[in-house]
Amino acid sequence: MTTLMVFRNDLRVADNTALWHAQQSGDAVIALFCYTPKQWQAHDLGPNKVAFIHAHVRALSEALAKLGIPLLIRSSKDFTASVKDVLKVARAHHVNDVHVNIQYEWNERERDKALDAALAKHDITLHRHVDHTVVHPSAIQTGSGDYYKVFTPYKRAWITHCIDQEIPQQELKIKKQKPISLKADPIPDRISGYHIQAALDGPLKGWPCGEKAAQKILRDFINQRVKGYKTARDVPALDATSRLSAYLAIGIISPRQCLRAALAANDGRLGGGDVGIDTWVSELIWREFYAHVIFGFPHICKTHAFKRQTDAIAWNDNQSHFDAWRNGVTGIPIVDAGMRQLRQTGWMHNRVRMIVAMFLSKNLFLDWRLGERHFNQHLIDADFASNNGGWQWSASTGTDAAPYFRIFNPYSQSARFDPDGEYIKTYVPELAELDKKYIHEPHKAPDEIFETLNYLRPIVDCKKTRQAAIDAFKSLGKNN
Ligand SMILES: Cc1cc2nc3c(=O)[nH]c(=O)nc-3n(C[C@H](O)[C@H](O)[C@H](O)COP(=O)(O)OP(=O)(O)OC[C@H]3O[C@@H](n4cnc5c(N)ncnc54)[C@H](O)[C@@H]3O)c2cc1C
């Protein structure tokens, strides 16, 4: 008998829940990955993330081969086709059990429902496991059985749950199996509809490939930077955060591995202890919270705002403002630096993500979904739940969102978190020689200085647009 493990956003061997369970059957395990490029396009995944996935499918195939597990590859176009392909593989190899790790987004859930039904017709059992988060989103609920809408009580309940259940337990060890006659499939050299070479030659250079690389990033972060994380994490010029998001998004490292490493450095304490570690664990819990939110409120996966009344907002329709924003030419240095960092590296610092997202949704008053889509198309770490959560937080349309009247002033954020303009100068070379005094607001420099810069004046007045956004939200009524 053969057991089938289907990989999706869990492209690693170590501590992989579904793979571990597949091995517990005692049967020979074979593995499958389905490329679904049409689905990825429908989900707005850009070449950076797809190239990152592709590189890791290759690494996964090599890692599995060392364990005697062949990785089969199918080019399935979309989710519907992938269901048929999984069934075909299962039947061709006389599989009784298929193991997957659960994905929480709506289309993924529907796909797995269809897969379950298709397999069941042939007496094949689909086993679903929790892996993308430390706890399943539905495991944490309020006293009245609802999903949480506010982070802090969710976090408290999450910590209590983990302590009660003694999570995270020991790392799940995957064993080498006896050789089988089936050979792994070759990795395709192209992915339909995607040109990934530019991504491989550009942004991906900054992201070492493979599980071992991700483990080293985690180790180095815990050994060298986590203790200073609380204060340094907001300074975009510093390399003070873990940079693990891209690896977590497609499962090159598990959130349990991250949590275990943090707890080991914190005398086993979950909640409290070292302030840097505690703050970092909180960020991991934000990731869990946003997965909880999309699972509990699936209308979010269908382009709706969490606060449905905000779907009535008449956002501006201004293509030239959107183009200025996405190209990093708004005349507001911190915004331009962030948007250019995204284009050049496929990543953006969290503080700057918040600044550019608020600028788009409040000052330009453009629909936050435009920004969400642009991020998805460019971020290597694109993750539907965290991206949507971050955008709806910034646009004041989401769970536990920033109140609509608390709008970041991009100039004061810039002065506070990039005081010397070091981050700005890295990505906006036009301002490299500008005196620190004017770096956050170059348009305030005397004309004779400003004219020497190849830089532009702000495309909007942040004070006036701020007030207009507040008025628009106010007009929606008191539920905001
Ligand atoms: C508008 C906006 C869009 C975002 N889009 C994404 C996205 O597509 N994918 C993504 O992984 N994160 C997203 N984030 C969250 C956050 O910006 C990134 O997770 C973080 O910058 C990644 O850097 P790091 O790995 O060094 O994080 P660290 O600071 O080291 O944090 C550790 C891990 O915790 C998680 N995390 C940290 N902050 C958050 C947060 N605010 N929300 C949810 N999880 C968090 C990430 O998995 C991260 O890798 C977004 C935030 C905003 C404001």
Side-chain angles (χ1 to χ4, degrees):
M1 274 301 158
T2 314
T3 293
L4 176 64
M5 158 74 197
V6 183
F7 284 91
R8 289 97 66 97
N9 64 345
D10 50 353
L11 302 177
R12 71 176 187 289
V13 166
D15 202 42
N16 186 318
T17 321
L19 182 59
W20 184 83
H21 279 281
Q23 280 204 328
Q24 298 316 296
S25 65
D27 297 336
V29 176
I30 62 171
L32 171 66
F33 180 78
C34 298
Y35 281 80
T36 53
K38 225 171 168 193
Q39 194 75 47
W40 294 342
Q41 278 170 341
H43 288 175
D44 292 322
L45 288 195
N48 287 339
K49 176 157 174 178
V50 169
F52 199 58
I53 292 173
H54 186 55
H56 280 94
V57 172
R58 188 184 302 281
L60 175 69
S61 182
E62 288 164 8
L64 286 170
K66 285 186 188 148
L67 299 170
I69 302 171
L71 179 67
L72 305 180
I73 304 283
R74 293 292 177 270
S75 291
S76 308
K77 200 172 77 179
D78 57 14
F79 283 169
T80 308
S82 77
V83 169
K84 290 184 186 150
D85 284 335
V86 174
L87 178 63
K88 265 195 217 158
V89 169
R91 295 196 68 203
H93 295 280
H94 311 290
V95 162
N96 277 343
D97 298 279
V98 175
H99 291 262
V100 294
N101 287 313
I102 304 169
Q103 292 185 284
Y104 306 126
E105 299 85 350
W106 183 255
N107 291 339
E108 284 76 351
R109 285 163 71 180
E110 290 291 296
R111 174 205 55 203
D112 284 353
K113 242 195 244 169
L115 179 61
D116 192 22
L119 292 171
K121 279 193 191 147
H122 297 273
D123 288 329
I124 305 169
T125 309
L126 179 67
H127 303 267
R128 306 179 218 203
H129 306 280
V130 179
D131 189 78
H132 189 64
T133 47
V134 174
V135 296
H136 189 279
S138 67
I140 312 280
Q141 303 210 329
T142 64
S144 47
D146 294 324
Y147 282 77
Y148 281 91
K149 297 174 186 166
V150 179
F151 175 70
T152 305
Y154 170 84
K155 177 183 163 182
R156 269 198 299 270
W158 187 94
I159 288 177
T160 306
H161 177 87
C162 287
I163 291 171
D164 289 351
Q165 306 287 319
E166 296 180 11
I167 299 175
Q169 298 98 342
Q170 294 266 308
E171 172 136 347
L172 301 171
K173 296 273 183 244
I174 309 299
K175 295 176 299 207
K176 197 169 175 168
Q177 71 180 19
K178 282 195 202 124
I180 54 172
S181 58
L182 189 66
K183 278 207 164 58
D185 284 331
I187 308 297
D189 21 274
R190 49 183 301 280
I191 303 166
S192 164
Y194 280 97
H195 300 287
I196 58 169
Q197 199 52 48
L200 292 169
D201 294 339
L204 256 74
K205 294 268 184 234
W207 301 87
C209 183
E211 289 179 48
K212 290 218 167 99
Q215 291 300 332
K216 180 172 176 348
I217 294 171
L218 173 63
R219 249 189 342 266
D220 290 350
F221 174 69
I222 296 288
N223 290 339
Q224 296 158 21
R225 307 200 300 284
V226 75
K227 296 222 162 140
Y229 179 77
K230 185 173 165 54
T231 43
R233 74 190 172 123
D234 273 320
V235 181
L238 298 177
D239 181 18
T241 66
S242 71
R243 302 246 180 174
L244 281 166
S245 50
Y247 300 92
L248 279 162
I250 59 167
I252 310 308
I253 195 164
S254 81
R256 293 179 305 275
Q257 289 173 316
C258 293
L259 189 59
R260 255 182 236 121
L263 298 196
N266 201 23
D267 298 326
R269 292 191 60 172
L270 178 54
D274 178 85
V275 73
I277 300 173
D278 191 41
T279 310
W280 193 64
V281 169
S282 261
E283 296 307 318
L284 295 175
I285 305 175
W286 269 104
R287 181 177 174 276
E288 304 264 322
F289 176 61
Y290 283 139
H292 172 87
V293 168
I294 64 156
F295 194 83
F297 305 100
H299 67 277
I300 291 173
C301 298
K302 300 171 191 169
T303 74
H304 291 296
F306 171 76
K307 290 183 187 167
R308 291 195 86 137
Q309 68 275 24
T310 63
D311 279 341
I313 290 175
W315 302 101
N316 289 340
D317 176 15
N318 188 326
Q319 185 64 38
S320 69
H321 275 179
F322 181 61
D323 287 343
W325 178 81
R326 69 193 173 111
N327 293 321
V329 287
T330 65
I332 297 167
I334 191 75
V335 173
D336 293 345
M339 298 310 296
R340 295 184 200 186
Q341 180 182 31
L342 176 60
R343 261 193 201 275
Q344 284 171 34
T345 70
W347 188 82
M348 196 193 298
H349 187 276
N350 180 60
R351 169 62 47 183
V352 190
R353 290 188 204 205
M354 293 194 283
I355 297 171
V356 304
M358 259 211 196
F359 180 74
L360 179 104
S361 57
K362 302 293 176 48
N363 297 102
L364 299 183
F365 209 63
L366 294 173
D367 192 331
W368 56 270
R369 281 161 277 234
L370 291 172
E372 180 197 21
R373 182 160 186 243
H374 181 79
F375 267 33
N376 235 337
Q377 288 168 338
H378 288 84
L379 282 171
I380 291 184
D381 69 18
D383 170 81
F384 177 78
S386 296
N387 192 37
N388 183 281
W391 272 96
Q392 294 218 53
W393 181 90
S394 308
S396 309
T397 61
T399 40
D400 207 2
Y404 70 84
F405 46 83
R406 204 173 296 150
I407 297 178
F408 283 2
N409 175 330
Y411 302 119
S412 41
Q413 288 283 313
S414 181
R416 183 165 168 208
F417 296 110
D418 189 30
D420 298 331
E422 214 181 309
Y423 173 76
I424 289 173
K425 289 181 180 189
T426 306
Y427 293 102
V428 189
E430 303 95 292
L431 303 178
E433 303 302 324
L434 185 61
D435 192 296
K436 178 170 143 183
K437 193 157 75 179
Y438 304 118
I439 193 71
H440 308 290
E441 298 184 73
H443 61 284
K444 289 200 173 159
D447 282 352
E448 63 274 20
I449 296 179
F450 187 79
E451 299 311 330
T452 64
L453 306 167
N454 184 19
Y455 196 62
L456 58 158
R457 294 187 187 278
I459 57 170
V460 289
D461 177 323
C462 287
K463 255 195 194 151
K464 283 190 193 145
T465 50
R466 172 184 182 279
Q467 193 51 51
I470 291 174
D471 293 344
F473 270 88
K474 233 186 232 167
S475 72
L476 287 175
K478 60 176 185 300
N479 288 337
N480 290 295

